Amino acid sequence: MTQPLWTDIDQYITGKLVPDDPVLAAVLAANAAAGLPAHDVAPNQGKLLYLLARLMGARRILEIGTLGGYSTLWLARALPPGGRLTTLEENPHHAAMARLNFGRAGAAEMVDLREGPALETLPALATEGAGPFDLIFIDADKPNNPRYLKWALSLARPGSLIIGDNVIREGGILDEASADPRIQGVRRFIDLISAEPRLEATALQTVGVKGHDGFVIAMVSGQAVDNEPARKL
Ligand code: SAH
Ligand code: DHB
Ligand code: MG
């Protein structure tokens, strides 16, 4: 099982189930032409984010790590009228491309892009009384994932969904002695989720056009009374 097969299968799935979308295709082409790294979620992963947001009727979404706005647009498309998405991006070049793309997609109205290090824009959001957010997608600098988890919890409500990208890294996650701060950040992130009584979580490995990686998906259960794990059948 190798990359060419994963790629062929992703293309098969996307061909059948993720219809060609000229706006999203133009976004990816513009990002590549502008030299942005191809770190966007894959199309079938973007559709998963969209479906999860639809499923829970998300009206307020927070994304940490915008890049060119590809995942942002998938999530924004799940919003009902009046819904809003806040997305945080540190890199001015990425933020400028994302703004262009939101305009191109007709999404500028519903997306609030905050430029700057997320560890500065998150406290500002909290001070403003933003949120609670129904869905929070964590996909920025992985060494800060433990800090992002704490902010996500404080900006969430019982029932919110917290999703983290890139938690497998071709198996790098298993290397407890890794010198890579991204691996250490993701390992601590998983440990914190594991130890957090307010979260019920799982993680899924993915293979496909973006290689071997994965998502962690956690639901905030909130109040003590609400905190029982799913009842056994
Ligand atoms: N969610 C995007 C991909 C994000 S790539 C998608 O799937 O389409 C990660 C992004 O996080 C990059 O654009 C990077 O510039 C940004 N980033 C890195 N460190 C950051 C920080 N401290 N604060 C905010 N954004 C950051
Ligand atoms: C990287 C970051 C991402 O968010 C991603 O989806 C893939 C790769 C990276 O920094 O290498
Ligand atoms: Mg990612």
Side-chain angles (χ1 to χ4, degrees), residues 39 139 142 165-166:
H39 290 167
D139 190 21
K142 312 313 176 201
D165 193 22
N166 311 114

Side-chain angles (χ1 to χ4, degrees), residues 214-228:
F215 293 102
V216 64
I217 301 181
M219 191 184 79
V220 180
S221 49
Q223 286 112 2
V225 66
D226 212 25
N227 204 13
E228 298 270 311

Side-chain angles (χ1 to χ4, degrees), residues 15-104:
K16 292 288 182 187
L17 303 176
V18 190
D20 269 344
D21 183 313
V23 171
L24 290 174
V27 163
L28 288 181
N31 292 349
L36 267 54
H39 290 167
D40 346 68
V41 294
N44 51 344
Q45 296 173 337
K47 182 108 182 242
L48 174 68
L49 296 175
Y50 160 87
L51 286 169
L52 289 170
R54 283 285 306 269
L55 191 62
M56 64 184 307
R59 303 182 58 84
R60 287 163 183 247
I61 297 176
L62 173 63
E63 175 179 68
I64 309 176
T66 319
L67 188 61
Y70 182 73
S71 55
T72 321
L73 287 171
W74 272 110
L75 287 165
R77 286 180 171 198
L79 289 171
R84 244 179 123 54
L85 188 155
T86 301
T87 185
L88 313 180
E89 175 56 55
E90 167 179 61
N91 181 307
H93 181 47
H94 298 178
M97 278 307 292
R99 267 191 217 99
L100 212 66
N101 288 329
F102 300 149
R104 193 196 311 266

Side-chain angles (χ1 to χ4, degrees), residues 30-195:
N31 292 349
L36 267 54
H39 290 167
D40 346 68
V41 294
N44 51 344
Q45 296 173 337
K47 182 108 182 242
L48 174 68
L49 296 175
Y50 160 87
L51 286 169
L52 289 170
R54 283 285 306 269
L55 191 62
M56 64 184 307
R59 303 182 58 84
R60 287 163 183 247
I61 297 176
L62 173 63
E63 175 179 68
I64 309 176
T66 319
L67 188 61
Y70 182 73
S71 55
T72 321
L73 287 171
W74 272 110
L75 287 165
R77 286 180 171 198
L79 289 171
R84 244 179 123 54
L85 188 155
T86 301
T87 185
L88 313 180
E89 175 56 55
E90 167 179 61
N91 181 307
H93 181 47
H94 298 178
M97 278 307 292
R99 267 191 217 99
L100 212 66
N101 288 329
F102 300 149
R104 193 196 311 266
E109 284 282 292
M110 64 183 101
V111 178
D112 174 15
L113 169 63
R114 305 282 179 106
E115 193 175 321
L119 289 175
E120 293 175 15
T121 48
L122 285 163
L125 283 175
T127 303
E128 284 169 29
F133 294 96
D134 307 309
L135 189 159
I136 300 168
F137 181 46
I138 301 177
D139 190 21
D141 49 329
K142 312 313 176 201
N144 277 322
N145 269 19
R147 293 181 185 90
Y148 297 150
L149 179 68
K150 290 183 179 158
W151 281 108
L153 280 165
S154 79
L155 291 165
R157 57 158 174 88
S160 292
L161 203 59
I162 299 174
I163 305 173
D165 193 22
N166 311 114
V167 300
I168 303 299
R169 297 205 159 261
E170 298 178 308
I173 188 68
L174 292 182
D175 182 5
E176 55 185 270
S178 175
D180 183 340
R182 295 172 304 180
I183 298 288
Q184 291 302 341
V186 173
R187 285 181 62 87
R188 281 201 49 223
F189 180 54
I190 299 288
D191 286 345
L192 287 169
I193 293 171
S194 163

